[in-house]
Amino acid sequence: TNDPGTIIGGADPLPVTFVPSEYTVICGRGKLPTNHPGNRYLKSVVEDSLLRYSAAETKLEKSAVVTSIIETVRKHNADAPSFVRQER
């Protein structure tokens, strides 16, 4: 198992030297993910997309909105992982 607080990108632990960018989304619980700028950015993108998602009538339309949210986050992280998981 991983040490508490290990950051995982995909299925593999990221290097100890990894520093999340201001747009990296940290999936996990606690203060680090809640207060990280990337998570706050994701929240703002989701809030901006709520009306479009609510107006979507089909599963395909809803999926397109979710995909656009993910792409918006990823375009800011061209050289680094966009979504990482904090292991406890």
Side-chain angles (χ1 to χ4, degrees):
T1 63
N2 297 312
D3 294 332
T6 299
I7 301 289
I8 307 292
D12 300 319
L14 292 165
V16 175
T17 57
F18 173 74
V19 177
S21 80
E22 64 181 299
Y23 294 105
T24 300
V25 176
I26 301 173
C27 301
R29 294 170 38 172
K31 287 184 181 181
L32 177 63
T34 302
N35 295 328
H36 185 58
N39 291 51
R40 291 194 310 260
Y41 175 70
L42 173 63
K43 184 177 179 179
S44 73
V45 173
V46 169
E47 288 172 351
D48 291 346
S49 303
L50 280 177
L51 286 177
R52 220 168 27 118
Y53 185 86
S54 296
E57 295 181 1
T58 67
K59 192 172 187 175
L60 183 62
E61 291 171 336
K62 289 182 184 294
S63 293
V65 175
V66 172
T67 298
S68 74
I69 292 168
I70 293 168
E71 288 174 352
T72 299
V73 172
R74 286 191 172 152
K75 78 178 179 183
H76 290 290
N77 287 297
D79 299 328
S82 301
F83 295 88
V84 296
R85 183 177 72 229
Q86 179 183 18
E87 288 286 311
R88 293 192 163 250

